[in-house]
Amino acid sequence: MLHSKTRWHSPAADPDAVRELARSLSISPLLSSLLVTRGKATPEEALVFMDGGGQEQHDPFLLKGMTEAVPRIRKALQENEHILVYGDYDADGVSSTALMIHLLRYLGASYDIYIPHRSNEGYGLHNHALDWALQQGVSLIITVDTGISAYHQIAYAKELGMDVIVTDHHEPPALLPEAYALINPKLPDCPYPFKGLAGVGVALKLAQALLGGDIPEAWTEIAAIGTVADLMPLLGENREIVRRGILSMRNSRFPGIRALLEVSGVTMNTVGAVNIAFGMAPRINASGRLDHAGRAVSLLTTEHAEEARELADELDLLNKERQLVVERIVVEATAKLEERIAAEGLPDVIVLASEGWNVGVVGIVASKLLERYYRPVIILDIHPETGMCKGSARSIPGFDIYAALSSCSSLMDHFGGHPSAAGMSLHRDGLGAFADALNDYASGVLTPEHFVAVTSADSEATIADLSLQAADELERLAPFGMSNPLPKFILRGAVVKETRTMGAEGKHLKIVLQQGKHIIEAVAFGKGALGALLPGGTKVDVLAELSVNEWNGSRKPQLMLQDLAVHETQLFDLRGAADAVRQAREISERLTPYAGTDPYRAVVVSRKERALVPDELKGMSLWTYDENGGISAHDDEQNKLEEERVSVLCLLDLPESPEQLDAVLQTFPLIDNVALLHSIRERRERLQVPTRDHFKALYKLLASVAAAATPEHEVLLRLSRQTPLSVRMLSMMLDVFEELDFIERHQGLITFVTQPAAKSLTASQHFIRLGQVAQMEEYFMDGSLSELQDFMQSRRQGVS
């Protein structure tokens, strides 16, 4: 049994609306259903969503502050003022800065740029940067993707005689800076109809306003990168920006974008929003995370192909380094959190800080811990000399992290962000009060339901529904991203036909799934270890996205696996394992991520003769078979756990009797998975289900072997030489003969009874027991997994 990592929710589309939309637009019911569930139920709405159009573009002068900003910039151009573009170091800030460079070049302006160093300076405007700007002769500053919270810094700029135009999209604070112009669609009194623009989207609207709406189409490529990278909703105007940007990017004239696509392994003529999100954006962000974002700005603004290739290669190397740094910090942060959980339990809001945690990647680390623990997470780097902490927050649905930080703003030097992500700085001495304040706030907001991760699927489908034609048709819903995700489908009751690992060290997994006569391949990235948990014939439910696999001119539908569940108790066939203890540890580790919401519990059952110690088992409970036909815990503490669900039961040794097997099943009535790790006896040493012929042949041999009193060990030795039966089998058959008075045992000697009373074999309890033990052994030694599962289920019903 494998539990899904999240609870799947699939909305039910109105069937009448689905049919009507499909009829009106001559589209498939599958596409029609997706449009309806995404709120595009009328033909007009659906066509605009699928095909775009001018309805999604708005007049830039609807943005409050634009009417003040444009004349001021034109005045600066006319009077040849020196302009400073002040940006940010993330992919949105880099894109915004690059777009403004292209604009100012186009206008023939005199300009400089400034992007703070993430680790050395941190987010936002800084007075020392303003001092530098004054020395450069700057009289006008245009901020991009930053500035809405820079009240004091903008006041300082005014003192220095510089005007500041703020273009930003972050949440405005209560106290707004007194800039020459504030352009932010989220300002409370801004009439702009679309509030979801990225920083680069606001910069693009400024360019449109300055150029009368007619901007070079290629600039939308840069706007698309920042919009996708900053996880802005791909709805409304953003959708049009990204759609146009992607179309232009497929024939990009920018050397930097061409080089970035190449180093990201993206085919230029098929690039999409997903490639931007997972290929281009991480490399752009790596520049600001581990070095300086200026390198990425240079890549997006260079006019030279050779320089572009060099810069793209540098960003690719930085991204690889970033991945290693993230992996190290995740390990350290997880260990620190697990210690805290052991001592205090899991907090509602996780706050972790340490020296040596690169501030450039703490946001990624926070995301990874959120995925694992499903709690709002804040990760901070502590400067070893000053004690100042800089960090990033990531939050779960239903918990506005910006509002949470606002509730304890007095404890921080600076903060800013969105409902789902934010950044902050404070001194290490205030970390305890900061964590307490956030958790106090969370206690009044969060409920147990918030901590259950839910994944929204678009619909339930069958493999037959998910054809190549369906995959091609779904592209009409692109570009995909925030608020318009790739469609997810739930397939129930598919059967695993085959699994195989892919990539270095088998890191990834390919699964062949079947429903009826229909077959499809599913790819699960980073889930190579899952293959060992899905033997052929396993019935699974999967949550997956539909894509197209293109190889050597061949195209076929393919699923990208997001989540998976197996609802039946599974048996893992590791019989005859060379190192059963090691294999038990490995199977337990593989199953840990699929334990569901119940506490994970692994149990090992073995003979006492193994003399295992708990340290060998790494947290698994140890139980042993006892001489009374039952099982007992290694220590008293484990006896308290009998009624809890067992995630995996590892049988290191075969039960010696059905009673021992029944004791296992009775002690652990709720078992998700069973791992069979017992040794396989040589055929000669096994029991056989007894027949009358077995006893008839043995009776004749005994007449000669034990006509006179003979030591039992000698009788067994001679019988084993004359029959194919094991000594174990022969010894248990002698028990039957003794019970029926066919032989006599006395002081280690056996004597054959020459004229016994006639008795039926079935009158012997030993005969019945021998049959039961032999049958159990036959199932455990030679039975298929399905046969063994049916046998264990019948035993379970007998003891329940």
Side-chain angles (χ1 to χ4, degrees):
M1 186 179 293
L2 306 181
H3 295 269
S4 59
K5 292 189 175 181
T6 66
R7 189 173 71 236
W8 308 341
H9 171 68
S10 176
D14 181 346
D16 294 333
V18 170
R19 279 192 298 271
E20 179 58 27
L21 189 63
R23 184 196 62 79
S24 299
L25 300 181
S26 297
I27 59 177
S28 71
L30 182 66
L31 179 58
S32 178
S33 173
L34 294 172
L35 286 164
V36 170
T37 57
R38 295 185 183 205
K40 314 300 174 187
T42 69
E44 296 75 21
E45 291 172 326
L47 286 174
V48 169
F49 187 75
M50 292 190 291
D51 301 332
Q55 302 95 318
E56 294 183 331
Q57 300 183 57
H58 306 292
D59 182 351
F61 284 97
L62 290 175
L63 282 161
K64 185 177 186 295
M66 193 67 79
T67 54
E68 292 80 21
V70 169
R72 178 65 185 89
I73 295 172
R74 286 178 175 158
K75 174 178 179 294
L77 294 170
Q78 291 168 359
E79 299 180 4
N80 200 30
E81 293 182 54
H82 196 50
I83 301 171
L84 178 68
V85 177
Y86 196 112
D88 186 29
Y89 38 67
D90 68 1
D92 187 15
V94 165
S95 303
S96 304
T97 304
L99 182 60
M100 290 305 298
I101 289 173
H102 285 292
L103 173 64
L104 294 177
R105 280 181 184 170
Y106 186 88
L107 295 171
S110 170
Y111 69 90
D112 259 318
I113 68 166
Y114 193 96
I115 296 178
H117 191 285
R118 184 190 290 258
S119 298
N120 299 337
E121 297 173 276
Y123 177 82
L125 271 70
H126 300 282
N127 286 354
H128 65 265
L130 300 175
D131 293 335
W132 172 86
L134 185 65
Q135 293 172 3
Q136 306 308 309
V138 169
S139 55
L140 174 63
I141 298 172
I142 303 174
T143 74
V144 287
D145 194 36
T146 190
I148 197 65
S149 299
Y151 180 88
H152 297 291
Q153 292 82 1
I154 289 174
Y156 183 63
K158 287 179 67 175
E159 289 178 14
L160 298 178
M162 294 182 287
D163 290 336
V164 180
I165 295 172
V166 172
T167 72
D168 201 352
H169 74 126
H170 293 93
E171 297 292 333
L175 184 63
L176 294 171
E178 297 177 1
Y180 189 91
L182 291 178
I183 305 175
N184 185 333
K186 292 178 181 173
L187 287 169
D189 53 350
C190 178
Y192 198 74
F194 183 67
K195 305 298 183 181
L197 290 172
V200 71
V202 180
L204 186 72
K205 301 309 291 187
L206 178 59
Q208 289 176 348
L210 282 165
L211 299 181
D214 187 17
I215 65 167
E217 191 69 9
W219 293 2
T220 60
E221 299 174 36
I222 295 170
I225 292 172
T227 300
V228 172
D230 214 41
L231 304 181
M232 292 296 101
L234 294 193
L235 301 173
E237 191 164 14
N238 282 348
R239 187 170 173 78
E240 185 66 13
I241 289 170
V242 174
R243 192 202 315 271
R244 291 170 58 194
I246 288 171
L247 286 175
S248 179
M249 199 179 290
R250 289 174 180 173
N251 294 283
S252 181
R253 66 173 183 82
F254 289 127
I257 287 180
R258 297 175 73 94
L260 190 57
L261 288 170
E262 183 178 353
V263 80
S264 302
V266 178
T267 304
M268 192 165 167
N269 61 2
T270 60
V271 63
V274 174
N275 302 125
I276 294 174
F278 296 102
M280 301 174 76
R283 289 168 172 83
I284 292 173
N285 275 320
S287 178
R289 294 185 191 283
L290 299 187
D291 186 46
H292 193 280
R295 195 178 302 195
V297 172
S298 297
L299 175 66
L300 295 182
T301 55
T302 183
E303 297 176 351
H304 305 289
E306 185 176 345
E307 181 186 14
R309 283 192 294 271
E310 290 177 0
L311 288 167
D313 286 340
E314 290 172 8
L315 295 193
D316 189 50
L317 288 173
L318 281 172
N319 190 51
K320 289 182 172 67
E321 181 183 347
R322 186 269 307 168
Q323 290 170 334
L324 294 174
V325 172
V326 167
E327 188 175 337
R328 173 184 64 82
I329 299 174
V330 166
V331 170
E332 294 175 5
T334 301
K336 188 183 286 280
L337 178 57
E338 287 295 335
E339 285 183 16
R340 186 174 302 174
I341 291 172
E344 307 168 8
L346 182 62
D348 288 347
V349 180
I350 297 168
V351 180
L352 298 170
S354 182
E355 295 180 8
W357 286 357
N358 189 308
V359 70
V361 302
V362 290
I364 302 174
V365 175
S367 295
K368 290 186 177 294
L369 264 67
L370 182 149
E371 182 180 348
R372 177 168 178 176
Y373 295 96
Y374 206 67
R375 294 287 193 279
V377 179
I378 297 176
I379 304 293
L380 302 108
D381 171 59
I382 304 174
H383 193 285
E385 296 175 3
T386 65
M388 286 303 298
C389 306
K390 294 178 183 177
S392 287
R394 298 292 184 270
S395 194
I396 59 177
F399 189 74
D400 185 333
I401 193 66
Y402 182 82
L405 292 171
S406 299
S407 72
C408 57
S409 58
S410 62
L411 299 175
M412 295 171 286
D413 287 23
H414 176 82
F415 77 99
H418 308 292
S420 59
M424 74 294 299
S425 61
L426 68 156
H427 195 271
R428 71 188 307 164
D429 292 345
L431 283 173
F434 177 61
D436 290 343
L438 285 173
N439 276 281
D440 285 344
Y441 177 85
S443 67
V445 175
L446 293 173
T447 65
E449 288 73 25
H450 284 105
F451 298 131
V452 179
V454 177
T455 300
S456 294
D458 290 87
S459 70
E460 298 204 8
T462 65
I463 293 177
D465 296 328
L466 304 180
S467 62
L468 180 61
Q469 181 181 349
D472 288 336
E473 194 177 34
L474 292 183
E475 279 301 308
R476 296 194 68 183
L477 300 179
F480 298 112
M482 290 298 291
S483 301
N484 183 45
L486 276 163
K488 291 182 176 62
F489 301 98
I490 299 171
L491 275 71
R492 299 197 185 276
V495 176
V496 176
K497 300 299 293 181
E498 177 189 347
T499 62
R500 59 182 181 274
T501 56
M502 308 181 299
E505 300 177 356
K507 187 175 182 180
H508 311 300
L509 183 67
K510 180 170 283 188
I511 310 170
V512 180
L513 297 172
Q514 182 171 5
Q515 279 181 329
K517 64 180 182 179
H518 298 283
I519 291 176
I520 196 168
E521 290 184 345
V523 174
F525 288 111
K527 293 183 172 66
L530 181 61
L533 307 180
L534 296 172
T538 302
K539 189 177 288 188
V540 299
D541 291 352
V542 300
L543 178 73
E545 297 167 350
L546 180 63
S547 65
V548 176
N549 181 17
E550 300 191 35
W551 180 252
N552 285 340
S554 173
R555 302 176 77 244
K556 60 182 179 180
Q558 175 179 265
L559 298 179
M560 308 304 292
L561 194 72
Q562 305 298 307
D563 203 355
L564 175 146
V566 176
H567 297 292
E568 297 175 351
T569 298
Q570 289 180 275
L571 265 62
F572 298 110
D573 191 357
L574 300 169
R575 290 176 284 189
D579 186 342
V581 175
R582 178 180 62 81
Q583 293 265 33
R585 290 197 300 262
E586 288 181 2
I587 195 73
S588 177
E589 289 170 5
R590 289 175 189 263
L591 285 166
T592 301
Y594 304 97
T597 56
D598 288 337
Y600 184 78
R601 184 186 176 208
V603 171
V604 167
V605 182
S606 73
R607 300 189 317 270
K608 286 185 178 180
E609 294 77 39
R610 276 189 182 267
L612 295 173
V613 294
D615 288 347
E616 289 182 84
L617 302 177
K618 293 195 173 179
M620 294 185 281
S621 303
L622 175 59
W623 293 68
T624 54
Y625 300 116
D626 60 39
E627 58 276 3
N628 298 318
I631 62 170
S632 56
H634 179 265
D635 55 50
D636 292 336
E637 186 65 26
Q638 289 169 358
N639 276 312
K640 300 175 184 176
L641 305 175
E642 289 186 24
E643 294 303 318
E644 293 184 4
R645 177 175 292 278
V646 173
S647 305
V648 59
L649 175 71
C650 299
L651 294 179
L652 299 192
D653 295 302
L654 185 67
E656 290 294 330
S657 67
E659 290 79 12
Q660 285 186 338
L661 175 60
D662 293 346
V664 171
L665 299 176
Q666 189 170 22
T667 302
F668 308 113
L670 301 174
I671 304 173
D672 285 349
N673 302 285
V674 177
L676 304 173
L677 296 139
H678 56 271
S679 59
I680 302 294
R681 288 193 176 107
E682 293 290 338
R683 183 80 47 188
R684 167 79 180 174
E685 297 304 315
R686 298 185 192 176
L687 300 179
Q688 298 181 34
V689 176
T691 65
R692 293 184 182 279
D693 288 341
H694 286 138
F695 281 92
K696 187 175 179 180
L698 185 61
Y699 187 81
K700 290 180 180 179
L701 287 173
L702 280 173
S704 60
V705 171
T710 307
E712 184 167 345
H713 70 273
E714 186 178 327
V715 171
L716 288 171
L717 182 61
R718 292 175 63 184
L719 290 175
S720 67
R721 290 172 178 170
Q722 298 178 57
T723 71
L725 303 177
S726 68
V727 171
R728 288 176 62 234
M729 180 78 176
L730 292 167
S731 180
M732 294 178 76
M733 291 175 73
L734 291 180
D735 292 339
V736 175
F737 281 152
E738 181 185 22
E739 183 181 358
L740 297 176
D741 297 324
F742 292 173
I743 63 171
E744 292 180 351
R745 278 175 165 150
H746 182 67
Q747 295 184 346
L749 301 175
I750 289 181
T751 305
F752 180 72
V753 177
T754 56
Q755 291 184 331
K759 293 181 182 177
S760 171
L761 285 171
T762 56
S764 166
Q765 292 300 311
H766 283 94
F767 176 80
I768 295 171
R769 179 175 179 75
L770 173 57
Q772 292 173 338
V773 175
Q775 182 190 51
M776 181 189 74
E777 187 170 299
E778 188 175 87
Y779 275 113
F780 275 90
M781 293 293 169
D782 297 322
S784 67
L785 287 182
S786 61
E787 291 171 338
L788 187 50
Q789 194 148 17
D790 290 343
F791 172 70
M792 293 180 70
Q793 183 62 27
S794 68
R795 300 299 306 188
R796 182 187 296 280
Q797 291 171 351
V799 300
S800 61

